[in-house]
Amino acid sequence: MISNVGFVLRNIFSKRSLQNFKEVNGLNMYGWITILSFIYLFPVAVFVEGSQWVAGYHKALGTIGNPNTFYLWVLISGIFYHLYNQSSYQALDDISPLTFSVGNTMKRVVVIIASVLAFRNPVRPLNALGSAIAIFGTFLYSQATVKKPKKEAVEKKD
């Protein structure tokens, strides 16, 4: 829930910034946010988790086995995450933050459903309830944004 609120606030403030600063497009905005986030959060990450990095690195290598495979997976994961965020900011240029957030919520539901089907992950009642609420909220949003013909336009056709 906290991450959803954080993503929504990021989308709203990013869209507002894109509207206020016409010379900055979605890709530039994403670049600036990435750089500033790194500057702010790297010291926090070192302080909170820095002592566990070496042990986590060795555990990951032990789990995967081949260091080259580990590095390749990290590289591919980073590339796809970057492309995902880059395309998100390009989309945010063209749609409202609310539409973007609803789409992002549905994307999460699709990922959950795909993981249940593909990996046979068990579904707890709370997970099912959360997915159902997200799907229902998306349905309500789609119903609220459907443009209904005005009565005057319908009467003119008659």
Side-chain angles (χ1 to χ4, degrees):
M1 182 69 146
I2 293 172
S3 71
N4 279 338
V5 170
F7 283 126
V8 169
L9 289 175
R10 180 193 72 174
N11 295 339
I12 290 169
F13 288 118
S14 294
K15 183 68 173 191
R16 189 175 297 162
S17 296
L18 287 170
Q19 291 170 343
N20 291 339
F21 303 107
K22 299 296 182 192
E23 65 276 358
V24 176
N25 63 17
L27 293 177
N28 290 335
M29 177 69 70
Y30 170 62
W32 279 108
I33 288 174
T34 301
I35 292 167
L36 292 173
S37 297
F38 176 78
I39 291 169
Y40 282 123
L41 295 176
F42 185 73
V44 175
V46 169
F47 179 74
V48 174
E49 297 177 344
S51 63
Q52 301 169 11
W53 285 355
V54 174
Y57 171 76
H58 290 297
K59 185 177 179 181
L61 283 180
T63 302
I64 294 175
N66 185 357
N68 291 331
T69 303
F70 172 73
Y71 299 136
L72 180 66
W73 285 0
V74 168
L75 178 68
I76 290 171
S77 173
I79 289 170
F80 278 112
Y81 188 72
H82 172 78
L83 290 174
Y84 160 72
N85 280 303
Q86 184 176 335
S87 63
S88 293
Y89 271 88
Q90 283 178 308
L92 193 58
D93 264 342
D94 299 326
I95 59 176
S96 75
L98 180 61
T99 302
F100 184 82
S101 297
V102 169
N104 193 36
T105 300
M106 277 313 296
K107 176 201 64 145
R108 291 177 183 200
V109 171
V110 169
V111 167
I112 290 168
I113 291 171
S115 74
V116 167
L117 295 175
F119 304 119
R120 306 281 187 236
N121 289 339
V123 179
R124 296 186 187 107
L126 191 58
N127 298 84
L129 177 65
S131 294
I133 290 171
I135 292 170
F136 184 65
T138 303
F139 169 75
L140 291 177
Y141 175 74
S142 68
Q143 293 302 307
T145 57
V146 170
K147 294 182 181 180
K148 297 184 179 174
K150 294 182 180 180
K151 288 183 179 181
E152 297 171 6
V154 172
E155 290 173 0
K156 286 182 183 178
K157 288 182 181 178
D158 292 337

